[in-house]
Amino acid sequence: MRIIDISLPIYPEMASYPGDPKVKFTPHPDKTWQLTEIAMGTHSGTHLDAPRHVFKAGMRVDKIQLSRCIGPCRVLDMTHVKHAIELSDLKAATIKKGERILVKTRNSLRSDANFYPDYVYISGDAVEYLAKVGIILFGIDAFSVKQR
């Protein structure tokens, strides 16, 4: 199996979701070693949102099996979408049960050093469709899957 790491670098000047903690690196030098303290919110950079992020009784991220995040995946080109990925966009892709789906949107064409409030997200109807189909994973190139 070929593994492609899609995570982005983490650095202090990177964009963060409004209201979230900024990424901070604090060096703690010593005579014989270098240690850096890293502080950031869990919504920083490439990340996985657990159901607990939205639902108080939802599963925590440490309870999600890593195997759900590794394996064959399909990338859908959604760069034509201006605002929200809609049900019709996903139905056209003939998504099947058990798939891992990543979407590439116009969000990827922007600088990762700025937050853009008009990012592309996924509509509620489209999310319900993916849940009904029974996909394993959904990923998007934005800070959030929902509209701000």
Side-chain angles (χ1 to χ4, degrees), residues 11-148:
Y11 56 96
E13 300 83 26
M14 69 187 292
S16 61
Y17 195 84
D20 284 3
K22 299 279 187 194
V23 174
K24 295 179 191 164
F25 289 8
T26 306
H28 294 276
D30 190 86
K31 292 179 182 172
T32 58
W33 48 264
Q34 174 71 31
L35 175 76
T36 302
E37 177 183 354
I38 301 172
M40 63 186 191
T42 57
H43 229 240
S44 300
T46 308
H47 65 279
L48 175 70
D49 280 344
R52 179 78 171 234
H53 179 64
V54 179
F55 305 107
K56 194 172 189 171
M59 184 187 304
R60 297 185 331 238
V61 73
D62 61 319
K63 301 298 181 192
I64 296 174
Q65 296 174 353
L66 189 56
S67 62
R68 295 177 76 78
C69 302
I70 299 172
C73 154
R74 190 156 52 119
V75 179
L76 303 180
D77 184 348
M78 296 284 167
T79 52
H80 65 280
V81 174
K82 295 206 184 315
H83 303 289
I85 297 167
E86 299 291 350
L87 177 59
S88 59
D89 297 311
L90 296 179
K91 282 191 171 184
T94 56
I95 295 169
K96 295 176 178 55
K97 179 179 180 159
E99 281 195 287
R100 291 174 187 86
I101 300 293
L102 299 178
V103 291
K104 179 181 180 180
T105 72
R106 64 184 178 87
N107 298 329
S108 288
L109 306 174
R110 295 174 156 180
S111 163
D112 64 345
N114 297 302
F115 176 81
Y116 297 94
D118 64 339
Y119 59 85
V120 176
Y121 58 95
I122 184 167
S123 73
D125 288 346
V127 169
E128 288 177 19
Y129 170 74
L130 292 176
K132 185 177 178 183
V133 168
I135 66 167
I136 293 175
L137 176 132
F138 176 80
I140 191 168
D141 53 356
F143 282 97
S144 181
V145 294
K146 63 182 182 173
Q147 185 178 25
R148 187 160 186 255

